[in-house]
Amino acid sequence: TKMPYSKTVLDHLENPRNVGELADATVTSSVINSACGDQIKLFIKLLDKNITSVKMQAYGCAPTLASASLLTEWLIDKTIHQASLLETDELIKMLEGLPRGKKHAADLAIEALQTALSKLNK
């Protein structure tokens, strides 16, 4: 039996948040899931240590789009430190769960975030 997507996932699919690019992003990242080809590009703008705006471009399955969309919403007004602590399980909880075998979508969103943040420390 296929688990239906949660209301939250469906909402983000129908109304994805923060889609696009940030020309003046402080940091960007682009990650691809080599197994399925899903891709997330993340654009993060910072003021001091605070995330002031986030945009994303996601390509791939429904949970990947929903994960990226929810991530951008959650990140706004967070500190770099708060953002660095976000884990896949927490993102999945905020999405009200993902079907079995779709955890990789949330993993990819977190990977995009971690990749962006890692560039800040250089």
Side-chain angles (χ1 to χ4, degrees), residues 42-101:
L42 211 52
F43 304 82
I44 298 175
K45 187 173 184 187
L46 294 159
L47 186 62
D48 301 321
K49 298 267 180 205
N50 296 308
I51 297 170
T52 54
S53 65
V54 187
K55 294 266 189 194
M56 66 82 182
Q57 295 174 323
Y59 310 93
C61 65
T64 294
L65 302 177
S67 296
S69 174
L70 187 131
L71 176 67
T72 62
E73 231 182 16
W74 183 87
L75 282 172
I76 294 169
D77 294 330
K78 295 288 190 293
T79 64
I80 295 170
H81 179 69
Q82 285 171 311
S84 70
L85 298 176
L86 183 65
E87 293 183 356
T88 300
D89 291 342
E90 210 177 325
L91 185 59
I92 291 173
K93 244 182 229 146
M94 289 189 275
L95 287 164
E96 294 180 284
L98 285 175
R100 276 179 55 169

